[in-house]
Amino acid sequence: MTEREKMISGKLYDPTDKELEQLRLNARKLARKYNLTDEDQQEEQMQILRQLLPATEELPYLQAPVYFDYGCNTFFGKFSSVNFNIIYSKNSPSSTGGR
């Protein structure tokens, strides 16, 4: 079982695993990039969210700033929106809104 599989299943895992370190770095870079966009740059924001939240079909409205540890473990349901200063640091899958 990989460290990522352990993390997702809620088991003890090694956060210094290279795959997990890369996922965190990528998510944090994308969140930082998203946070630097303005509200009228919706197309750019959607492009960033598609990368950050690959499992989410209908992208949410997120009021910057937002923060993610991994992003790939976070799912948003239809018509979701989130106010500013949200922090998603869950290591196992987490969902907001209906799925």
Side-chain angles (χ1 to χ4, degrees):
M1 181 179 265
T2 67
E3 297 303 314
R4 183 178 182 179
E5 290 169 334
K6 291 177 189 175
M7 177 185 73
I8 289 172
S9 66
K11 295 182 177 169
L12 188 62
Y13 68 95
D14 179 3
T16 65
D17 175 74
K18 294 297 178 201
E19 178 188 17
L20 295 180
E21 286 180 340
Q22 188 58 48
L23 284 171
R24 272 194 313 276
L25 178 63
N26 185 57
R28 291 174 183 176
K29 283 182 176 183
L30 288 169
R32 190 174 312 111
K33 188 175 176 181
Y34 184 88
N35 292 338
L36 293 174
T37 63
D38 290 321
E39 292 178 10
D40 62 352
Q41 295 176 291
Q42 293 174 347
E43 185 56 41
E44 185 175 348
Q45 288 178 335
M46 292 299 111
Q47 290 174 359
I48 296 166
L49 289 180
R50 280 187 197 99
Q51 295 174 63
L52 182 61
L53 307 168
T56 297
E57 291 180 28
E58 289 194 36
L59 295 172
Y61 172 75
L62 303 179
Q63 176 68 49
V66 298
Y67 304 95
F68 290 85
D69 264 355
Y70 295 98
C72 60
N73 298 335
T74 306
F75 308 92
F76 287 89
K78 202 173 192 179
F79 307 120
S80 294
S81 66
V82 177
N83 211 348
F84 58 91
N85 284 324
I86 191 71
I87 300 170
Y88 280 93
S89 61
K90 292 262 308 167
N91 301 331
S92 57
S94 172
S95 62
T96 299
R99 283 184 81 183

